């Protein structure tokens, strides 16, 4: 718990740096007033709007105002929605998190058994098939896989909805689309970890106790080979939260990725800033979660 | 040989490894026995087949290795012919093993107590609570202070000596008749080594457990063994009780081993190394396997392999001894 609090405190400077980057990027992106007003608007109107929005202040003053507002959870009003940006972003968050975890779930249930199977039956036909499949899975672009899945399951078979969010059935295709690439990567990781660990002496010790092979592998070997997998899983989850943009677009999934891409297209900077900030916060939290899981899986890591 | 009360009898064991189309005969026709309550030392350089012999007993030879011939009789059971299920009942229950490096041999992600308890619960139908109590008893038995606390420790947080005591507790947990100790003291410093040897000795005395003690350290052999088997390049080259072997080593390889060990009374003398190197496992020499390094080599040694011949319970695989014996007779 002490460790947890310490890590949370450590996250504060990270958030400051992120806020600075977010602000600077938007500052450099150009004068928003030119976008907000028609091109032929009189110079006085432009100046008036700048003053109203505090855009005539120097950089550091603007930044301090930004941070001050940020601490109150305010990113300013969205041009397109005419509301505070943060609630709009937060409203999209559950959809994104739901999809990210569903994708990780798909990846886990595929990769663990396949990874173990191909390691324990190394060089067998099954291993060749799984390893080959993993390369294919990693190589398939999400937009293509998503469209193919829609074509097969929604158009031809009519079994699953084409797009949108609502029931668990809506979740299946996007989760598979996102999960496949991750599953491929983790299958390969588990396979190589397992191959290494199966030659460790403690595996021989486990066998020398008269343990059944099933327990040797699923208890003694798997627990050890999952340690590095947790990192990859956490990193993948973070990147899914921030960047499932393609998949969200293909399936019209009302998540953060979709919102972010729309906001960038319309130069709705309040939304962009709020989204990036929320994503950064979630990534930090995922990393913290990974650290705690590490501790749980590997007692050699001392969290002090 | 005088097998008084044999517990384990290995007959002409052949364990080969395969590398591409090459065959590596790691254990090549090894025979010996272990009596009840006896400590037998298996001595030899790295790669002579000591560990492969011990792993063959437990059926723990990993692919690409395979037991290709011979028998390993435990009571009347041939261990080489057991089904997988039968093997599981032997391992950790009838025969257990202690490995050289306890830090590598204990699983880093489970508490040591759990790892002992697991061994108990595989072979006995008892509650978790009782298994835990038994595991703590075993920790007391192997001389671990604060056993309740150590029970919950992970291997990395214990000292080397403590870890090896945990390994011993684990090996004892099934009340085995035979413990294979594969260089159990090599990774420990000398004072801890002496303590561990003492512990193993006490255990055999109390429980009439037999120990197959694998080592390359002749000092340790003198300390603990009743009988000694010397292996070279996958074969037994000499076998005798510990006193005969130390008083009168007969095989040139055994003699060379003695010459290359430090002695307390000859502290200034330089140690002699055995000339040459262990023959490549791919190309073992014809005839006597030791002839390439033997100072007494004769013509015959290079072409014909000598048999293991007995003389007053002292077995030697050497043409020189065979001929000496013959000349004594005539």
């Amino acid at each position: 718990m002490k460790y947890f609090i310490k890590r949370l405190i450590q996250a504060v400077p990270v958030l400051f740096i992120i806020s600075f980057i977010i602000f600077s990027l938007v500052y450099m992106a150009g004068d928003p007033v030119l976008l907000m007003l028609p091109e032929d608007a009189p110079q006085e109107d432009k100046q008036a709007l700048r003053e109203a929005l505090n855009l005539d202040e120097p950089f550091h003053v603007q930044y301090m105002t930004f941070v001050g507002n940020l601490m109150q959870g305010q990113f300013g009003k969205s041009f397109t929605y005419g509301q505070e940006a943060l609630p709009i972003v937060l409203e999209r968050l559950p959809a994104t998190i739901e999809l990210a975890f569903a994708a990780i779930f798909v990846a886990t249930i595929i990769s663990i058994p396949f990874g173990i199977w191909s390691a324990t039956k190394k060089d067998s036909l099954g291993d060749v098939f799984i390893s080959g499949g993993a390369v294919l899975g990693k190589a398939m672009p999400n937009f293509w896989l998503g469209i193919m899945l829609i074509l097969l399951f929604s158009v031809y078979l009519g079994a699953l909805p084409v797009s949108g969010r609502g029931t668990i059935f809506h979740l299946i295709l996007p989760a598979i689309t996102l999960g496949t690439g991750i599953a491929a990567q983790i299958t390969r990781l588990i396979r190589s970890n397992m191959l290494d660990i199966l030659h460790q002496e403690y595996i021989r010790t486990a066998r020398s106790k008269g343990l059944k092979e099933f327990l040797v592998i699923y208890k003694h070997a798997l627990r050890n080979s999952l340690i590095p997998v947790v990192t990859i899983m956490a990193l993948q989850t973070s990147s899914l939260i921030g960047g499932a943009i393609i998949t969200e677009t293909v399936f019209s999934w009302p998540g953060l990725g979709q919102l972010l891409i729309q906001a960038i297209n319309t130069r709705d900077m309040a939304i962009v800033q709020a989204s990036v900030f929320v994503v950064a916060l979630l990534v930090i939290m995922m990393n913290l979660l990974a650290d705690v899981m590490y501790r749980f899986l590997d007692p050699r890591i001392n969290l002090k | 040989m005088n097998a008084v009360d044999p517990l384990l009898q290995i007959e002409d064991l052949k364990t080969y490894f395969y590398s591409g189309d090459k065959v590596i005969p790691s254990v090549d026709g090894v025979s010996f026995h272990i009596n009840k309550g006896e400590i037998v030392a298996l001595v030899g350089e790295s790669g002579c087949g000591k560990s492969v012999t011990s792993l063959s007993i437990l059926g723990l030879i990993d692919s690409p290795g395979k037991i290709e011939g011979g028998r390993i009789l435990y009571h009347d059971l041939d261990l080489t012919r057991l089904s997988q299920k039968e093997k599981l009942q032997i391992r950790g229950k009838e025969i257990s093993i202690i490995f050289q490096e306890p830090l590598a041999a204990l699983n880093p992600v489970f508490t040591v107590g759990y790892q002992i308890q697991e061994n108990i619960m595989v072979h006995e139908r008892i509650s978790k609570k009782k298994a835990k109590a038994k595991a703590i008893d075993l920790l007391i038995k192997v001389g671990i202070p604060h056993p309740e606390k150590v029970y919950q420790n992970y291997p990395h947080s214990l000292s080397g000596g403590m870890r090896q005591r945990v390994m011993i507790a684990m090996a004892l947990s099934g009340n085995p008749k035979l413990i294979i100790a594969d260089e159990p003291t090599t990774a420990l410093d000398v004072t801890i080594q002496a303590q561990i040897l003492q512990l193993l000795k006490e255990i055999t005395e109390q429980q009439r457990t037999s120990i197959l003690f694998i080592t390359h350290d002749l000092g340790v052999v003198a300390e603990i063994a009743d009988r000694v088997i010397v292996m070279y390049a996958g074969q037994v080259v000499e076998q005798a009780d510990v006193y005969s072997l130390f008083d009168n080593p007969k095989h040139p390889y055994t003699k060379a081993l003695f010459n290359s060990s430090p002695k307390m009374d000859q502290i200034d003398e330089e140690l002699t190394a055995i000339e040459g190197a262990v023959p490549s496992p791919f190309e073992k020499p014809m005839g006597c396997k030791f002839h390439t390094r033997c100072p007494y080599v004769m013509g015959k040694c290079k072409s014909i392999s000598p048999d293991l011949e007995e003389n007053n319970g002292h077995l030697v695989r050497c043409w020189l001894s065979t001929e000496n014996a013959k000349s004594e007779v005539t």
Side-chain angles (χ1 to χ4, degrees):
Chain A
M1 198 60 215
K2 234 181 178 176
Y3 172 78
F4 211 82
I5 294 165
K6 196 175 150 196
R7 282 295 307 264
L8 282 178
I9 294 169
Q10 280 173 351
V12 173
V14 178
L15 285 175
F16 259 103
I17 295 168
I18 290 165
S19 71
F20 184 77
I21 295 172
I22 295 171
F23 180 78
S24 309
L25 285 176
V26 172
Y27 187 85
M28 286 186 290
D31 189 352
V33 169
L34 297 179
L35 270 169
M36 292 161 85
L37 294 178
E39 271 181 51
D40 52 357
Q43 198 61 36
E44 302 84 70
D45 284 9
K46 286 182 185 169
Q47 193 54 36
L49 187 60
R50 275 196 196 104
E51 273 167 33
L53 291 170
N54 290 326
L55 290 172
D56 53 343
E57 304 272 7
F59 179 81
H60 66 273
V61 176
Q62 286 192 39
Y63 175 62
M64 290 320 286
T65 320
F66 173 74
V67 172
N69 288 337
L70 196 146
M71 282 180 175
Q72 297 163 33
Q74 286 174 349
F75 290 87
K77 274 192 177 172
S78 151
F79 309 133
T80 32
Y81 294 83
Q83 304 169 23
E84 270 298 320
L86 191 62
I88 297 169
V89 169
L90 292 182
E91 198 195 323
R92 295 294 191 106
L93 200 57
T96 290
I97 290 179
E98 178 184 295
L99 181 58
F101 279 93
I104 290 293
F105 176 74
V106 168
T108 310
I109 57 168
I110 296 175
S111 62
I112 291 182
F114 276 0
I116 292 174
W117 206 82
S118 79
T120 49
K121 304 244 181 338
K122 187 177 174 261
D123 297 334
S124 68
L125 197 66
D127 174 31
V128 173
F129 199 72
I130 290 170
S131 298
V135 174
L136 201 69
K138 186 84 194 129
M140 273 189 295
N142 279 350
F143 70 87
W144 182 83
L145 180 62
I147 290 167
M148 287 301 130
L149 287 174
I150 291 174
L151 204 58
L152 181 63
F153 288 98
S154 309
V155 180
Y156 291 145
L157 297 175
L160 293 166
V162 177
S163 67
R165 176 172 178 242
T167 64
I168 182 114
F169 299 108
H170 287 90
L171 188 59
I172 295 174
L173 291 185
I176 292 175
T177 306
L178 274 179
T180 303
I182 302 167
Q185 189 183 354
I186 294 176
T187 302
R188 289 162 62 86
L189 186 67
I190 291 182
R191 179 181 181 271
S192 65
N193 281 344
M194 274 298 245
L195 283 178
D196 180 41
I197 280 162
L198 286 173
H199 285 107
Q200 296 290 322
E201 261 189 62
Y202 54 78
I203 295 302
R204 202 163 60 185
T205 308
R207 290 198 176 116
S208 80
K209 289 177 180 179
L211 280 182
K212 291 196 178 87
E213 193 62 17
F214 177 82
L215 284 175
V216 172
I217 288 168
Y218 280 85
K219 202 156 128 195
H220 284 260
L222 183 61
R223 177 98 181 253
N224 280 284
S225 61
L226 283 185
I227 296 167
V229 171
V230 168
T231 331
I232 303 290
M233 288 271 195
L235 289 177
Q236 289 289 357
T237 313
S238 327
S239 73
L240 286 185
I241 289 170
I245 296 168
I246 291 167
T247 309
E248 287 190 357
T249 309
V250 169
F251 289 95
S252 308
W253 188 263
L256 258 187
Q258 216 192 26
L259 179 71
L260 183 62
I261 213 83
Q262 283 164 4
I264 291 170
N265 285 338
T266 54
R267 297 238 183 159
D268 192 344
M269 288 310 169
I271 297 270
V272 173
Q273 287 172 332
S275 313
V276 173
F277 194 78
V278 166
V279 168
L281 201 64
L282 284 170
V283 169
I284 290 171
M285 274 162 61
M286 280 313 299
N287 287 353
L288 184 58
L289 185 70
D291 280 353
V292 173
M293 297 254 303
Y294 250 3
R295 173 69 184 89
F296 175 72
L297 284 170
D298 190 347
R300 285 167 296 184
I301 296 170
N302 204 345
L303 298 187
K304 266 174 195 158
Chain B
M1 250 195 78
N2 46 339
V4 200
D5 199 359
L7 177 73
L8 186 87
Q9 200 148 7
I10 297 180
E11 292 172 1
D12 200 26
L13 177 69
K14 291 185 170 124
T15 305
Y16 293 173
F17 284 79
Y18 297 89
S19 167
D21 52 352
K22 283 179 177 154
V23 183
I24 305 166
S26 293
V27 174
D28 201 6
V30 163
S31 305
F32 64 87
H33 70 273
I34 300 166
N35 292 325
K36 277 189 189 139
E38 191 184 29
I39 302 183
V40 176
L42 197 56
V43 185
E45 284 165 290
S46 308
C48 71
K50 304 170 293 198
S51 292
V52 176
T53 305
S54 68
L55 292 175
S56 301
I57 296 171
L58 282 169
L60 287 175
I61 297 294
D62 286 332
S63 148
K66 210 178 159 211
I67 296 179
E68 288 292 7
R71 301 198 297 173
I72 301 172
L73 293 173
Y74 176 76
H75 295 301
D76 294 325
L77 221 56
D78 184 354
L79 300 184
T80 63
R81 292 180 189 281
L82 294 184
S83 69
Q84 194 57 30
K85 206 180 157 193
E86 289 167 318
K87 277 182 194 164
L88 296 183
Q89 285 160 3
I90 296 285
R91 289 179 197 158
K93 171 82 188 141
E94 301 291 328
I95 305 174
S96 56
I97 187 160
I98 303 165
F99 291 108
Q100 175 174 350
E101 185 32 86
L103 186 59
L106 290 166
N107 196 321
V109 302
F110 295 106
T111 62
V112 295
Y114 177 77
Q115 296 188 54
I116 299 170
Q117 186 183 324
E118 185 181 40
N119 197 115
I120 297 168
M121 293 187 72
V122 172
H123 299 289
E124 266 180 78
R125 285 179 161 271
I126 57 171
S127 67
K128 262 190 185 168
K129 215 175 151 191
K130 279 187 180 163
K132 183 178 173 179
K134 216 176 157 186
I136 289 175
D137 281 346
L138 283 161
L139 289 175
I140 296 170
K141 194 173 189 174
V142 296
I144 285 183
H146 317 298
E148 275 96 1
K149 201 170 155 267
V150 171
Y151 179 94
Q152 294 174 21
N153 278 144
Y154 288 94
H156 70 275
S157 62
L158 299 176
S159 68
M162 283 294 163
R163 284 183 208 130
Q164 199 56 291
R165 282 175 197 269
V166 167
M167 276 301 284
I168 294 171
M170 201 158 87
L172 288 175
S173 65
N175 291 320
K177 312 285 187 302
L178 173 66
I179 297 173
I180 298 170
D182 191 349
E183 309 229 16
T185 57
T186 310
L188 305 174
D189 64 53
V190 195
T191 47
I192 307 294
Q193 176 173 326
Q195 290 170 9
I196 296 287
L197 290 178
Q198 188 57 37
L199 177 66
L200 286 171
K201 251 173 149 172
E202 280 167 19
I203 288 161
T204 38
E205 276 158 24
Q206 283 166 14
Q207 311 194 336
R208 254 176 82 70
T209 310
S210 309
I211 297 185
L212 177 62
F213 197 101
I214 296 169
T215 184
H216 60 263
D217 186 339
L218 288 166
V220 170
V221 173
E223 188 78 30
I224 198 167
D226 297 316
R227 210 146 44 80
V228 187
I229 296 161
V230 183
M231 277 186 78
Y232 185 80
Q235 290 183 324
V236 173
V237 293
E238 185 161 2
Q239 192 186 136
D241 70 83
V242 68
Y243 298 106
S244 323
L245 192 98
F246 274 71
D247 288 344
N248 183 18
K250 289 187 175 162
H251 196 281
Y253 176 61
T254 317
K255 287 180 190 166
L257 277 184
F258 277 108
N259 287 334
S260 56
S261 317
K263 289 170 201 70
M264 288 299 274
D265 51 349
Q266 297 161 0
I267 212 141
D268 294 334
E269 278 181 32
E270 219 173 280
L271 283 178
T272 38
I274 305 177
E275 287 286 318
V278 182
S280 150
F282 293 105
E283 291 162 45
K284 285 190 181 165
M286 293 274 292
C288 173
K289 304 279 177 286
F290 190 59
H291 85 250
T292 49
R293 305 166 79 187
C294 182
Y296 312 105
V297 63
M298 305 180 289
K300 198 175 182 177
C301 303
K302 293 176 183 167
S303 50
I304 313 164
S305 180
D307 287 332
L308 203 55
E309 303 254 354
E310 186 187 340
N311 191 355
N312 285 329
H314 197 137
L315 277 80
V316 188
R317 188 191 291 276
C318 180
W319 286 122
L320 207 62
S321 303
T322 316
E323 294 195 350
N324 286 347
K326 262 187 212 158
S327 60
E328 275 170 33
V329 171
T330 48

